Amino acid sequence: MRKLAIVTITALSLCSAFGADTLDSQMSTLAQTLAAKIKDSGKKKVTVLDFTDLEGKKVTELGRYIAEQLNVNLDSSKKEFTIVDRANLKRILDEHKLTVSGLVDPENAKKLGQISGVDALILGTVADLPNSVKVFAKIIATDTADVAGSGECRVTKDDEVKYLLGRGIESGGDASTKSGSPQTSPDQENAGA
């Protein structure tokens, strides 16, 4: 029985060492899933938005990293669709005073589609769990605001993920999470009190 436990622990260690559930490997797998669903939906022009927390209000550097990594992975795996540059999309959002969280509203999604020519938006959320993060992604058709496909993955919360989670970029109505400012949890705040 002890040998079985040692073999199991060794096998799990090897899987982790070879990136079985690392952020980059999971984003690659998620991108493949999403690319197949984009192709099946017939969408020709897509863009990836920053991923938010579950409430759709806060973007961390992890949410932005996930969006960038998906963008790169989708671009390299694309077959029958094009990817709209994220910088250009951000400019369009800023010019028309639209926010990522506001794009869940069907009228705003349609408006962005008309302005940018994008057929679908890829947006998502990140759930911060004790030992991992769960990433949920949706493909939203801009003409109907219907979900044209989705995917999910779980990533082990290693040092890189913890670092990216702790760095806020923006918040819906709370200006306390500016880029480059580490977030503090209520536990950290109470520890100093």
Side-chain angles (χ1 to χ4, degrees):
M1 189 64 139
R2 189 167 188 223
K3 284 184 180 181
L4 179 61
I6 291 170
V7 169
T8 302
I9 291 170
T10 303
L12 290 173
S13 296
L14 288 173
C15 285
S16 292
F18 289 112
D21 61 353
T22 65
L23 183 57
D24 290 346
S25 68
Q26 289 296 318
M27 291 307 99
S28 178
T29 302
L30 182 57
Q32 291 171 6
T33 299
L34 295 173
K37 292 181 179 188
I38 292 167
K39 180 183 173 189
D40 291 346
S41 72
K43 300 303 178 192
K44 299 294 182 197
K45 197 171 183 183
V46 299
T47 194
V48 183
L49 302 174
D50 290 341
F51 281 43
T52 65
D53 64 359
L54 288 175
E55 294 177 9
K57 294 180 180 176
K58 184 173 64 171
V59 175
T60 62
E61 283 191 20
L62 178 61
R64 183 158 292 161
Y65 181 92
I66 288 169
E68 289 291 341
Q69 191 65 47
L70 282 175
N71 196 60
V72 168
N73 290 342
L74 283 168
D75 187 55
S76 64
S77 71
K78 68 182 179 185
K79 300 197 179 4
E80 298 177 19
F81 58 91
T82 59
I83 306 291
V84 173
D85 179 54
R86 289 172 38 77
N88 289 338
L89 184 72
K90 181 169 178 9
R91 184 183 46 77
I92 292 168
L93 287 171
D94 291 345
E95 284 176 7
H96 295 277
K97 296 183 170 94
L98 295 171
T99 63
V100 171
S101 59
L103 295 175
V104 175
D105 174 6
E107 290 307 311
N108 287 340
K110 288 177 186 178
K111 182 177 179 181
L112 179 63
Q114 292 168 348
I115 296 166
S116 66
V118 171
D119 297 315
L121 309 172
I122 297 174
L123 49 88
T125 55
V126 178
D128 185 2
L129 303 172
N131 299 313
S132 63
V133 292
K134 187 83 182 249
V135 178
F136 303 93
K138 296 178 195 170
I139 304 163
I140 307 292
T142 57
D143 56 346
T144 63
D146 292 338
V147 176
S150 62
E152 64 181 72
C153 66
R154 182 180 299 266
V155 179
T156 299
K157 198 185 286 184
D158 61 15
D159 289 341
E160 288 177 345
V161 171
K162 288 176 187 175
Y163 174 79
L164 291 169
L165 267 173
R167 298 179 55 87
I169 293 175
E170 63 186 56
S171 178
D174 179 9
S176 64
T177 56
K178 297 295 180 199
S179 180
S181 301
Q183 302 266 313
T184 55
S185 69
D187 293 337
Q188 291 169 324
E189 290 171 1
N190 292 337

